[in-house]
Amino acid sequence: MSTKTIAVLNESELKDGEMKQVDFEGEGKVLLARLGDKIHATSAFCTHYGAPLAKGVLTADGRVVCPWHGACFNVCTGDIEDAPAPAAIHSFKTHIADGKIHVTADTSSTLKDNLSRQPKLLATGASSGKGVVIVGGGSGTYHCIESLREHGYNGPITVLSKEYYSPIDRTKLSKALITDPSKIEWRSGAELKTKYGVDLRTGVEVSSIDVPTKEVIVGSNSQRVPYDTLVLATGGVPRRLPIEGNDLQNVFTLRGVDDTKKIDASCQEGKRLIVIGSSFISMELVIAVSSRKLASIDVVGQEEVPFESVLGKQVGAGLMKFHKSKGVNFHMQAQASKIIASKSDPSRAEAVVVKSSAGEQTIHADVVIMGVGVAPATEFLKGNKGFEGALDKSGAVLVDEFLRVKGLDGVYAIGDIAMYPQPGTGELRRIEHWNVAGNQGRATGKTIAEGKPQPFVKIPVFWSAQGQQLRYCGVGAGFDDVIMVGNPDEMKFIAYYVKDDKVVAVASMQQDPVVSKASELLRLGLMPSPSELRAGKDLLSIDIQTVGAKAKVA
């Protein structure tokens, strides 16, 4: 370790509410942030994908939000505020002398390859008891573990995961077709055990929950795992269309690493690919394989343009134009009615029959991928005593504003399976975003550790490797108008989604940090009205970072 104190900037050059990235001893970088008369120094880059935090958003209540994916840190301590940050950032001491800002830091902690610090674990699982059992191994599980220990929960934590690896960055499966789980594990199984005191059991499948005895039933041998508190985080199961040929060997869905291995091995040069469904996962897979010199890529979608119900026709048309420029063929307002098996090998598909208003056509394929959404992975809960009134007809788990399963003591549900009330409206909705699962895991961990439930009110955020990187925040379902700034055809725009004369969601491309700022404005209830936006109001000009904004933020 080499700790040094260095003058990094004139005090007069950092104004209230401003952030600046400054050099520190050679290749080191530090982020300075001023809130009133207090100056804070932290790592300069996000621990998620390394975005420069100085280009993000600072708020008067001490949040610094990454400009790319919505990860958020406490600028005073470096602690995680919001997922998908997998680790906290460093916090450094500052003082003013001779009109200059001085920072005291270990020089190695200012380097970009050493962004994160070890979590401030208030507990590591030394206490006895049944503890917390988490069923599932995704984003919600990982962030719940982190939050439990960060907030002082010292009991046992047992994770029962159907997957055979530690929680991974699942977003990289569709975006990059990663086939080695060790490259995208947030923490290794060994680290979860030694540092967090987690009993991680992989490759196991839960068959039911015995609510009266508070036990989880595992596997065909009906092993019983007792719990004090249960967190259900089982995620989603990819849907398969109920059509002939949906189970042929070269017809794939995507959820885990085994799926990416099969898709990666099949989508090689010269092969013909058909993607059924124009969902985000479908179109990200198209991007991931588009450089492989496939013979053809065909997408079959029910809407007029991809993402129409989420992003609107104008943005969807712009993204479709982008994909067409890369050689993708679209068959929209159409549906796959049958997958034809090969005559030479009846176990494999050789074509897909596509129906539309224009008629029927047969498209030949070597690989077929179904990207038609996911269903809640809750089959194991059906018929369980205690869960009779906790599941809706889709299989989603009904939870209250604290993510507690309705009617059950000490049971929580998070992520893709949770049907939770939306802040402000109370509307029950299930949101399949990576960030939502992570933030719900963090919220649940804190509630369990501290015993003080707080309503889950985080603004949903997601991103997609479409065009020039799409950002999105809010809940825009059922929007009745779109205010467009810029041109989606040029892959540079801001789209404001309006419902009942309020902006409920924002999407952007090549306009960072607009969505990060929008998520904070939605959180604070300070989003401009549609009429203000139509008149040219600029989100980035709204003050939420200076001392003068504190009253609004509070």
Side-chain angles (χ1 to χ4, degrees), residues 174-175 282-291 322-323 465-467:
S174 60
K175 292 174 172 65
S282 293
M283 300 313 299
E284 286 178 353
L285 279 170
V286 166
I287 292 171
V289 302
S290 61
S291 63
F322 168 82
H323 284 286
Q466 303 295 320

Side-chain angles (χ1 to χ4, degrees), residues 333-350:
Q333 295 181 298
Q335 58 183 357
S337 62
K338 179 182 178 180
I339 299 175
I340 302 173
S342 168
K343 291 181 180 179
S344 61
D345 183 355
S347 68
R348 298 181 64 81
E350 70 171 13

Side-chain angles (χ1 to χ4, degrees), residues 51-84:
L53 293 175
K55 294 184 178 181
V57 174
L58 178 68
T59 69
D61 54 348
R63 290 163 56 89
V64 57
V65 187
C66 169
W68 292 355
H69 307 123
C72 179
F73 306 90
N74 185 306
V75 78
C76 307
T77 64
D79 293 341
I80 300 171
E81 293 273 333
D82 292 347

